[in-house]
Amino acid sequence: MGPRLADIARHAGVSEATVSRVLNDKPGVGSDTRKAVLTALDVLGYERPARLRQRSAGLVGMVIPELENPVFPMFAQAAEGALAQRGYTPVLCTQTPGGITEDEYVELLLERNVSGILFVSGRHADTSASYDRYNTLVSRRLPIVLVNGFTEAIPAAFISCDDREAGRLAVNHLIALGHTRIGFTSGPDRYVPVRRKLEGYHAALAAHGLSGRDLVELSLFGVEGGHAAATRLIERGVTAMVCGSDMMALGAIRAARQRGLRVPEDFSVVGYDDSQLIAFTDPPLTTVRQPVNAMALAAVRALCDEIAGHAVSHTEYVFDPELVVRASTAAAPTGYTVPASLPGSRHAAQEASTPSAAVQDGSAHPGADPVAGQRV
């Protein structure tokens, strides 16, 4: 089925006549308008006419870890749109356990003569991995940009969220709610973002005269890792947790409920990422938001500038995170006793005298029965 001019025109914000001129490669259309029409064509899933495909500026590889964590599809979607607007065709490479490795994907991309590669949370973020693979690409003058996981060992542009600030934001929020036993979980400590979040966590606690030395449980990324870490931390009497991802936070909530704890009345949880459906979980998750769209756009700009031969600073561009307060955090419970551990069973928690409101950007919101989707 051929493209419908009306749909493309509506999406691009132009007339059908303009769409027709672009699709037929006629003159008289500005470059920005032409890009808008071609982007609309790509977004709506229509194949570009052959005459227009020949104008492609080239292929760009995009290597991401996996698609189970919703934040990575968000990065991919934002970067794909930005690349398409600049005339590049993105080639998405997704890793899966036991599947094609990052190095194998790079070889495949090189065989296709890609103009550059964008790495999101790749092996560069792993301090135990060799950086030779990236330095080899640099020596071949292939433009690369790396997202999350800075190292001075690779002379390339890096785009990062301020993970230290993310840890501080989460801890300060929970301390403001009266929590003093605040646990932390994330992935293995060999990853740069994990180390930075942990530094922010410890710094924020120390600034308030608190310690989290025995309240850190590093686990596997994902729901199961968060569940396992939360189970151990709850046994140590924490009333709140800072998690390295939203998926781990969901696992922590599940673990708390299996112990008979109410979230947030008995146990508060803060996630990280703010992927698209997190506002609609039960309860809606308080989290620290990565500015995914801004980071993806900056990564694409840096990569395209380098492809075009412009000088790009080989440094780290750091983006500020944002605390998004929803309904998985509330004032610390008083008079609460952690229930005994009985695997696989639910227990009635001892009734706690819990204030009914929590601070949210200077205003109060209900601590129970929240409205899903509430956003700060």
Side-chain angles (χ1 to χ4, degrees):
M1 181 178 178
R4 295 181 56 183
L5 296 184
D7 293 339
I8 300 171
R10 188 181 307 110
H11 194 281
V14 299
S15 67
E16 292 184 33
T18 298
V19 173
S20 178
R21 296 188 69 83
V22 172
L23 296 182
N24 289 286
D25 202 20
K26 299 294 184 182
V29 180
S31 60
D32 290 343
T33 301
R34 185 179 297 275
K35 286 180 181 178
V37 172
L38 294 178
T39 299
L41 201 68
D42 296 334
V43 171
L44 294 174
Y46 294 123
E47 186 176 350
R48 294 190 183 189
R51 66 177 71 88
L52 298 180
R53 291 200 299 271
Q54 293 171 359
R55 289 176 173 266
S56 172
L59 302 176
V60 168
M62 184 160 44
V63 183
I64 65 174
E66 39 93 0
L67 295 177
E68 291 184 2
N69 186 337
V71 75
F72 293 125
M74 287 174 63
F75 265 112
Q77 184 177 24
E80 282 179 344
L83 286 167
Q85 287 182 343
R86 288 162 175 78
Y88 290 95
T89 302
V91 180
L92 182 62
C93 302
T94 306
Q95 300 176 69
T96 56
I100 298 178
T101 66
E102 180 178 297
D103 290 340
E104 290 170 335
Y105 269 131
V106 169
E107 290 301 319
L108 292 173
L109 292 171
L110 293 177
E111 290 175 3
R112 285 158 177 77
N113 296 316
V114 294
S115 300
I117 304 178
L118 176 63
F119 294 91
V120 179
S121 300
R123 297 297 300 277
H124 63 277
D126 188 342
T127 59
S128 68
S130 170
Y131 301 133
D132 291 345
R133 54 177 57 87
Y134 304 106
N135 289 321
T136 298
L137 297 176
V138 172
S139 67
R140 296 176 60 166
R141 298 187 180 279
L142 181 75
I144 63 173
V145 173
L146 304 107
V147 177
N148 284 335
F150 174 70
T151 174
E152 294 181 349
I154 306 173
F158 284 82
I159 307 296
S160 302
C161 185
D162 190 340
D163 290 297
R164 292 186 185 90
E165 180 62 14
R168 285 192 290 264
L169 284 173
V171 170
N172 288 337
H173 169 63
L174 293 170
I175 289 176
L177 293 173
H179 295 275
T180 57
R181 295 283 292 175
I182 301 171
F184 176 92
T185 188
S186 190
D189 67 354
R190 67 178 186 270
Y191 293 106
V192 173
V194 174
R195 291 184 176 184
R196 289 178 167 182
K197 288 186 182 73
L198 193 53
E199 290 172 4
Y201 162 82
H202 283 303
L205 288 176
H208 290 85
L210 301 173
S211 173
R213 184 172 54 185
D214 62 335
L215 302 180
V216 174
E217 278 289 339
L218 299 183
S219 186
L220 298 176
F221 287 113
V223 174
E224 292 77 13
H227 182 279
T231 298
R232 292 189 289 268
L233 288 171
I234 289 171
E235 291 174 353
R236 298 177 199 167
V238 302
T239 61
M241 270 185 68
V242 175
C243 300
S245 74
D246 290 337
M247 303 308 290
M248 297 190 80
L250 295 182
I253 291 174
R254 186 175 70 182
R257 286 175 169 167
Q258 287 180 349
R259 296 292 303 273
L261 300 179
R262 300 167 299 168
V263 178
E265 292 87 350
D266 304 320
F267 188 71
S268 291
V269 180
V270 180
Y272 177 79
D273 284 332
D274 195 33
S275 44
Q276 292 172 330
L277 297 179
I278 288 304
F280 305 99
T281 58
D282 178 25
L285 185 66
T286 294
T287 188
V288 179
R289 176 185 295 159
Q290 277 199 86
V292 170
N293 290 333
M295 291 172 64
L297 181 58
V300 169
R301 283 176 175 170
L303 188 64
C304 291
D305 282 348
E306 192 154 353
I307 291 172
H310 303 307
V312 175
S313 176
H314 293 164
T315 186
E316 182 180 28
Y317 300 88
V318 181
F319 287 74
D320 289 331
E322 176 188 0
L323 177 68
V324 182
V325 180
R326 297 195 179 98
S328 66
T329 53
T334 58
Y336 173 74
T337 302
V338 179
S341 175
L342 290 177
S345 301
R346 300 179 66 89
H347 306 278
Q350 190 173 9
E351 286 295 321
S353 175
T354 306
S356 62
V359 176
Q360 176 173 299
D361 280 5
S363 60
H365 75 282
D369 297 326
V371 177
Q374 186 175 2
R375 198 181 275 266
V376 176

